[in-house]
Amino acid sequence: QDQLVASGGGSVQAGGSLSLSCKASKFIYKNMCLAWFRQPPGKGREAVAAIYTPTGGRHYVDSVKGRFTISADDAVNMVYLQMNGLKSGDTAMYFCAADAAAGCNFLLSQGWSAFEVSVLSQGTQVTVSS
């Protein structure tokens, strides 16, 4: 069954680090654009970062560039989000998502709003206290 399972998260003070993990089914991992999204309290879902594992191409929203790193491990079909320099504004429920597009480069020309969620994980909470 094609699915995504997110884990990790927790509570940390501002300036700290956390790592999230997303286990993907083999088909999703090898064929889809994989991304992390988040939903802050009282707000809508927003994109964070994306990766296309066959090429390793990565994309980030401006607010996390230089602080967050998305990576993948082909041996275990896992996608990770390493979050450093966390701020209170990073507090949110984080989700792993997949777009059926073969690649993530459409984000460059069409923007993050073009990401169509085909598969969505359950959320994992990240809380940053100031």
Side-chain angles (χ1 to χ4, degrees):
Q1 183 176 0
D2 291 335
Q3 63 176 358
L4 297 168
V5 179
S7 62
S11 297
V12 66
Q13 290 192 331
S17 298
L18 284 172
S19 180
L20 305 180
S21 301
C22 177
K23 174 68 174 178
S25 64
K26 184 175 181 179
F27 179 82
I28 292 175
Y29 183 85
K30 292 184 178 296
N31 293 281
M32 294 186 176
C33 176
L34 293 165
W36 286 99
F37 281 76
R38 66 187 181 187
Q39 186 163 10
K43 297 184 179 180
R45 192 167 63 200
E46 60 188 40
V48 177
I51 188 169
Y52 185 56
T53 61
T55 62
R58 297 173 172 86
H59 305 268
Y60 299 92
V61 297
D62 289 344
S63 61
V64 306
K65 283 180 181 177
R67 300 190 299 123
F68 290 12
T69 301
I70 189 169
S71 62
D73 187 338
D74 294 348
V76 290
N77 296 342
M78 294 281 286
V79 175
Y80 305 99
L81 185 69
Q82 177 64 41
M83 304 181 291
N84 299 327
L86 282 161
K87 307 174 181 179
S88 58
D90 296 317
T91 294
M93 187 72 75
Y94 283 71
F95 303 85
C96 183
D99 181 309
C104 297
N105 285 342
F106 68 92
L107 296 172
L108 297 173
S109 57
Q110 303 177 48
W112 287 93
S113 61
F115 191 101
E116 296 185 5
V117 177
S118 296
V119 186
L120 187 69
S121 72
Q122 88 289 3
T124 184
Q125 180 67 38
V126 171
T127 302
V128 184
S129 58
S130 56

